Amino acid sequence: MKNSPLPKVSPYLITKKLDPENQETPIHFNNSDIVNEKLFYRRNHFPYPKFASSFYFLPIEGLVFTPKVFSLQEIYSLPSKTIKLVLECSGNKRELFKPKVFGEQWGKGAISQGIWKGVSLRSLLQYTGLLDTAKEIVFEGYDYGERPDSNQLFNFSRSLPIEKALDPDTIIAYQYNNHPIPFKHGFPLRLIVPGWYAMASVKWIKRIIVIDNEFKGPFQSIDYVYYPSKENDTRKTPVTSINVNSTILYPLNMQLMRTGVYEINGIAWAGTGQITLVEISLDEGQTWNTCQLTSSSEKYAWVRWKYKWDALKEGEYTIKSKATDSLGNIQPLDPMWNRKGYGYNAIDCIKVKIE
């Protein structure tokens, strides 16, 4: 009798919360530039919405010349745009802040990447026109519920300034990795805002409203705001573009290893610029060596990098990675601490022991 092959072991999402569902990507076991939908991190503020997609229509209203309601078929029939990009939760790596901050304690896996296909929002707005007084565009999702700070019911809603909304790469997406967007990631239509943290990419779009003022919804004016002061709201600024960042994928933090030759590898990404340099330190940041970038630099995608390490001497090592983008932004030694724990992008750091 032949031995049956051993079952393949696959990674799972890392559960952070069940209600609403928040799950982290096992990023250290991701060896592809395209994250499978089953391993794409899940970030929700409310329970999943309930609606019949067969009767789904998308209205665009407010300060437009011609309000219009689009059917899914109309949107599918329009010229499409496909974009490979990183979606990163603005709370990614929140658990690393010192002092600690309240909120979902994401590790390094509230980030995923894939290929989104949809229609440029700019194209849709050509059918309605925009009045000269238009200042922002609000995207309201079907998901709703109560917030911890209020007894009111709120839909998850966010706005974009006109300039970002009209960027040709801002799309109303209907496919992920050549399949309809999975329901848990926004089916049938999801806004995709390249280069911005993922709270801007509203799921399950219910309607689009053009306004002439600054949108004051709680997910814009209370949450997703940098508060650098613990005591008050001075110097607060909105969370928008993704900060330059990197993560060491291998080795794992606190791993025990034999002496030998290893390939340290990871990913690096940025919001407005593109990654031009990744450096690694094996001596707690005293000296830095240049890593090899192993994937082509695409505008909104992460870059893979690697470094050959001759780990021939026993002992404990602190390994750090530092990314630089084309605009000259460099990962800082320390993150910009803020009360809600957004935008963590300090130099990545792990420890290993060679035995």
Side-chain angles (χ1 to χ4, degrees), residues 15-16 23 34-35 40 134 138 146 164 202 217 230 245 261 294 330 350-351:
T15 304
K16 292 293 180 177
Q23 307 252 23
I34 305 300
V35 176
F40 197 110
V138 179
E146 288 186 3
K164 189 63 178 175
V202 177
K230 190 171 184 178
N245 215 331
V261 179
T294 60
I330 305 172
I350 65 166
K351 291 187 177 182

Side-chain angles (χ1 to χ4, degrees), residues 10 31 39 53 71 73 97 103 146 152 202 210 222 240 260 264 291 321 337-338:
S10 299
N31 54 15
L39 294 180
S53 60
S71 69
Q73 270 55 46
F97 273 106
E146 288 186 3
Q152 275 183 270
V202 177
V210 182
I222 300 173
T240 55
I264 303 170
C291 299
S321 69
W337 188 93
N338 60 99

Side-chain angles (χ1 to χ4, degrees), residues 156-273:
F156 185 82
S157 299
R158 293 268 315 171
S159 76
L160 289 178
I162 290 293
E163 311 76 54
K164 189 63 178 175
L166 293 179
D167 185 318
D169 292 338
T170 298
I171 64 172
I172 305 294
Y174 49 78
Q175 279 189 8
Y176 178 68
N177 294 346
N178 301 314
H179 296 283
I181 295 176
F183 174 73
K184 289 191 172 184
H185 295 289
F187 176 86
L189 295 177
R190 175 176 188 165
L191 179 67
I192 294 292
V193 185
W196 281 33
Y197 284 109
M199 77 283 151
S201 295
V202 177
K203 294 175 282 193
W204 309 291
I205 303 174
K206 183 177 182 180
R207 59 180 180 148
I208 297 173
I209 312 138
V210 182
I211 61 175
D212 63 358
N213 56 295
E214 191 178 326
F215 180 59
K216 296 287 189 183
F219 295 101
Q220 191 103 6
S221 60
I222 300 173
D223 293 347
Y224 302 111
V225 175
Y226 292 115
Y227 299 100
S229 169
K230 190 171 184 178
E231 284 74 33
N232 56 54
D233 295 353
T234 56
R235 296 181 292 121
K236 68 175 187 175
T237 53
V239 175
T240 55
S241 296
I242 294 171
N243 293 326
V244 63
N245 215 331
S246 69
T247 291
I248 299 165
L249 300 183
Y250 180 83
L252 299 175
N253 189 33
M254 305 308 286
Q255 187 168 344
L256 294 169
M257 307 166 76
R258 293 180 180 178
T259 55
V261 179
Y262 294 95
E263 181 186 283
I264 303 170
N265 65 68
I267 54 175
W269 65 98
T272 46

Side-chain angles (χ1 to χ4, degrees), residues 12-28:
Y12 299 88
L13 287 167
I14 303 161
T15 304
K16 292 293 180 177
K17 188 185 285 182
L18 293 177
D19 185 21
E21 184 183 19
N22 286 317
Q23 307 252 23
E24 187 169 320
T25 297
I27 195 72
H28 297 91

